[in-house]
Amino acid sequence: MSACMAVVLNGNTEVKYFPFHDDRSADNAEALADQWRSNAIGVIGQDEADCFHLRVVRPMVRITSIMGHVYESYLDDVEFTAPDPEGHTLLMGFGYSSTLGFSLQYCALSDTIEYIA
């Protein structure tokens, strides 16, 4: 997944995601998101129609390495390998490390992987 069409409420709360990979699936994602938005407006009333809009977002992943470093990267900037026998996944990518305080290329065995918007 390279990006998502998000339905956004009140300008900052993403309430529903529709992933896409290329131009054709982006058109489908936008149509599905618009239909979902229209259905939601139908349920809550036309007065709230201005509260909803659509935007494209790139999903992010937060990785905690077995060394304790935390990295945040866009999902399409990370390469995942198959887990080793102990269940750790080797990740290679580019992202921001909150524990180090700067962005860098990294290669790390993961302890936890969280998907964030």
Side-chain angles (χ1 to χ4, degrees), residues 10-106:
N10 294 326
N12 59 1
T13 305
E14 296 167 355
V15 293
K16 184 76 173 171
Y17 297 99
F18 298 88
F20 62 87
H21 308 279
D22 55 23
D23 289 341
R24 187 174 58 171
S25 62
D27 292 341
N28 293 340
E30 184 175 8
L32 289 170
D34 194 43
Q35 182 62 46
W36 191 92
R37 183 182 65 85
S38 296
N39 292 345
I41 290 169
V43 169
I44 64 172
Q46 192 64 33
D47 295 340
E48 302 296 322
D50 293 340
C51 295
F52 286 99
H53 68 278
L54 304 179
R55 75 172 166 219
V56 175
V57 296
R58 290 178 65 199
M60 294 192 75
V61 61
R62 181 180 296 127
I63 301 139
T64 304
S65 72
I66 59 174
M67 300 274 298
H69 296 292
V70 178
Y71 305 97
E72 289 185 1
S73 301
Y74 289 111
L75 186 57
D76 56 346
D77 289 341
V78 180
E79 293 182 30
F80 297 81
T81 63
D84 64 14
E86 296 174 3
H88 298 115
T89 301
L90 180 66
L91 303 168
M92 294 173 283
F94 179 81
Y96 178 76
S97 173
S98 57
T99 52
L100 299 175
F102 53 87
S103 296
L104 71 157
Q105 294 270 134
Y106 59 84

